[in-house]
Amino acid sequence: MDAQPAAAGATGCFRKSFQLGANSTKVVLHATADDETVIFVNGRQIAASKGWQNPVQADVTSATKPGENVIAVKCTGGARSAGFVARLEIT
């Protein structure tokens, strides 16, 4: 994901598209952020978390479709700048 560093206490928004084949059966998102995050897949909110110590693991299969999909994230930093890391597990 391309992003610019956010100032302390600022909100950062991240967006990334990904492709799914017609034979994909399950999509699981693993993610964490510092300090707060709200995660969307194809415009549908699928998870939220406060604190990097509380990672998200969510089955997002029902929010995806064959072809192009988009994950969008809103992160808000506390005393530090906002940060986000994620992994999609596609089977």
Side-chain angles (χ1 to χ4, degrees):
M1 295 185 176
D2 298 329
Q4 297 296 317
T11 296
C13 295
F14 308 92
R15 183 180 157 110
K16 177 73 176 170
S17 63
F18 61 98
Q19 295 289 324
L20 282 183
N23 296 328
S24 298
T25 59
K26 190 170 186 178
V27 183
V28 177
L29 172 72
H30 304 271
T32 191
D34 190 12
D35 282 324
E36 277 182 51
T37 189
V38 181
I39 304 168
F40 301 84
V41 174
N42 294 328
R44 182 173 148 196
Q45 182 177 331
I46 52 93
S49 177
K50 289 189 177 186
W52 60 268
Q53 308 93 328
N54 301 309
V56 169
Q57 180 174 322
D59 182 340
V60 299
T61 308
S62 65
T64 61
K65 63 189 184 315
E68 184 176 39
N69 293 268
V70 176
I71 182 170
V73 180
K74 178 181 174 185
C75 297
T76 303
R80 300 170 296 282
S81 55
F84 177 75
V85 63
R87 175 176 65 121
L88 281 175
E89 188 178 331
I90 301 169
T91 54

